[in-house]
Amino acid sequence: MDELLSKDNLHYRNLTRELTEQYVRPIAAEHDRTGEYPWSAINALKEADMMGVWIPKEYGGQGGGELNLCIVVEELSKACGGIGVSYAVNALGSFPIIVGGTDEQKQQYLPDIAKGKKLIAFGLSEKVSGSDAGSLKARAERDGDHYVLNGDKKWTTNGGAAHLFTMFCTVNPERGTRGVTGFIVDRDTPGFEVGKREDLMGIRCVPVNETHMKNCRVHASQILGGKEGQGFKHAMMALDVARPFVAAQAVGLAQGALDHAIRYTKERQQFGQSVSSFQGVQWMLADMATQVEAARQLVYTAARAIDAGAKNVSKLAAMSKVFATDVAMRVSTDAVQLFGGYGYSREYPIEKYMRDAKITQIYEGTNQIQRVVISRALIKEGASA
C-alpha cells in the first residue's frame, strides 16, 4: 500500500524497480547458470548512487536508513535473490563500522563503500563456530603497534569480490565472547587470502568463500572501535540491524515467486479453462499472498523500529527474519507446485526462487537460533514484568 510509504520510500522503491527491470532481471538466469559475479548490476546501482543507502550522510551515504535499505533489497530480490544479497552484504560488512567504529574509521572507510568504490564483506563464521560465534578460533596477538592475525573463516559472502573485510578474532580464548575483537582488513594485506569458493545450491552469482589469515599484520588503528574485546558486541549489534534486510530479501523472493505463479496459472489451460479458475488454486494463491503481505509488514515494522532508534530490537528483528524466510520457502515451494512439471525444469524461472529462498533460513543466524533469541527475550520480559 503506497499510502503507508513516505515519498523517500517510494523514490527508492521506484528507482530500484527501474534498475531491476533494466539490469537485474535480464541477467538473473545466466548468472545463476555460470556463477559469474553480477558486476553490471552492481555498477548500475553504483552509477545511480545507490550503494550507500544505509550509510549516514556525514560519511558520504544517502542516510536513507533501514527501511529504505529493506525496500531496495526486496525489489532486487524479486528478480534475483543472488543479486539482492550481492548488494545487501555490503550493508552487513559495513554495519560493524557504523555501529561500533571510531569516527576516524567511519571517515576513512565508509565514503568509499557509500560510493561503491569498495565492496565489503563480513567474516565471523568458522568451520567449528557457526551459530556458536563466541567459540571462534581465529587469533589476534599484539605485536607493538600491530596485531598478527591467524585463522580461517568460512562462508564469507562476497568474499571473492570484496575489497574490505570486517574480521572477528579472539585476543584471549579463555575470555570467551569478551575476548572477541573486530578488525578492518584490506584484501591486499600480506597474509590475507581469499580461498576456496563454495559451490552453492542457490544465490549462485555470489562468491561465498573461505578466507585465511596467515601472520596477517594489521595496525592497531584497524581494531574496530579502537578497543579489544568489543568485537562480539559489535557483531551482534550488526546482525540485529542486518536481519530485517535478510528478511526483506526473503519477502522479495516470495513476492517474485508469487508474481510468476499468478501469471502462469492465468495463462496455463487445463480442462478447457485457465488453471487460475480452479478454486483449489485460487485458495493457494490467496494463502500465499496473505503470507507475503504479513511478512512484508513485519519486516517494515522492524525496520521502522530501528530507524526510530528503538532499544532492544533483537526480538523484533529475529521475528521478522524467521517469519519472512519461512514464508519465502513455503511460497516459493507452492509456486513450483503450481507450475507442475515445468516448475521442476530450469527452463522456467520458478525453481531458482526456491533454491535462493532456502539460504535465507540459514544465514544471518539460522531460524532455530532466531527462535532462541525470541524466546529468551520473552522470558526476560516476563521475569521483569
Side-chain angles (χ1 to χ4, degrees), residues 77-363:
S77 300
K78 284 181 185 177
C80 180
I83 294 176
V85 73
S86 296
Y87 173 84
V89 75
N90 291 285
L92 174 61
S94 60
F95 268 135
I97 302 174
I98 294 171
V99 302
T102 64
D103 189 63
E104 290 78 9
Q105 290 169 344
K106 294 175 184 178
Q107 294 285 0
Q108 180 179 353
Y109 295 107
L110 293 180
D112 280 351
I113 297 169
K115 296 304 178 185
K117 293 180 179 179
K118 292 187 176 180
L119 305 181
I120 187 167
F122 181 83
L124 180 63
S125 293
E126 298 177 2
K127 289 182 179 180
V128 297
S129 60
S131 297
D132 184 12
S135 67
L136 53 82
K137 303 298 182 185
R139 293 292 304 275
E141 297 183 359
R142 184 93 189 213
D143 183 16
D145 291 336
H146 291 77
Y147 282 78
V148 180
L149 312 183
N150 281 284
D152 305 298
K153 295 293 178 178
K154 192 78 173 174
W155 316 118
T156 307
T157 306
N158 246 19
H163 306 88
L164 297 169
F165 298 78
T166 44
M167 304 296 286
F168 295 87
C169 306
T170 181
V171 296
N172 186 345
E174 296 179 359
R175 297 193 66 197
T177 58
R178 295 181 182 180
V180 177
T181 303
F183 295 87
I184 307 168
V185 182
D186 192 286
R187 183 192 188 94
D188 295 329
T189 304
F192 184 84
E193 176 187 343
V194 176
K196 184 189 80 169
R197 177 175 174 172
E198 305 295 338
D199 187 6
L200 302 177
M201 178 174 73
I203 60 166
R204 290 182 51 78
C205 66
V206 188
V208 177
N209 299 79
E210 293 181 354
T211 43
H212 310 289
M213 297 168 287
K214 301 175 182 177
N215 295 321
C216 177
R217 291 177 63 85
V218 298
H219 196 269
S221 63
Q222 292 168 252
I223 293 179
L224 187 61
K227 294 181 181 180
E228 292 183 2
Q230 302 294 305
F232 187 80
K233 178 182 73 174
H234 293 151
M236 295 304 106
M237 290 170 66
L239 289 171
D240 277 345
V241 292
R243 282 168 181 153
F245 68 70
V246 173
Q249 179 196 2
V251 171
L253 285 164
Q255 184 67 62
L258 175 61
D259 292 344
H260 278 293
I262 292 171
R263 283 194 295 269
Y264 181 79
T265 56
K266 288 170 67 176
E267 296 168 358
R268 174 69 167 169
Q269 295 285 316
Q270 290 289 278
F271 304 102
Q273 55 189 310
S274 70
V275 171
S276 64
S277 67
F278 302 139
Q279 186 181 64
V281 170
Q282 292 173 355
W283 285 9
M284 283 183 69
L285 293 172
D287 286 344
M288 293 159 71
T290 301
Q291 293 165 36
V292 173
E293 192 58 38
R296 178 179 291 113
Q297 296 308 320
L298 183 54
V299 172
Y300 286 12
T301 295
R304 288 186 173 109
I306 291 169
D307 285 339
K311 296 180 180 180
N312 303 319
V313 296
S314 294
K315 181 182 74 173
L316 190 55
M319 285 177 168
S320 73
K321 199 269 185 185
V322 72
F323 186 77
T325 59
D326 282 352
V327 163
M329 196 67 231
R330 187 159 55 246
V331 167
S332 62
T333 302
D334 283 348
V336 169
Q337 186 72 22
L338 288 170
F339 270 70
Y342 294 110
Y344 207 65
S345 169
R346 289 198 173 186
E347 291 186 19
Y348 284 72
I350 199 63
E351 56 85 30
K352 178 180 182 298
Y353 283 84
M354 186 173 70
R355 288 188 287 110
D356 286 351
K358 183 58 197 175
I359 190 59
T360 66
Q361 295 179 302
I362 298 172
Y363 61 15

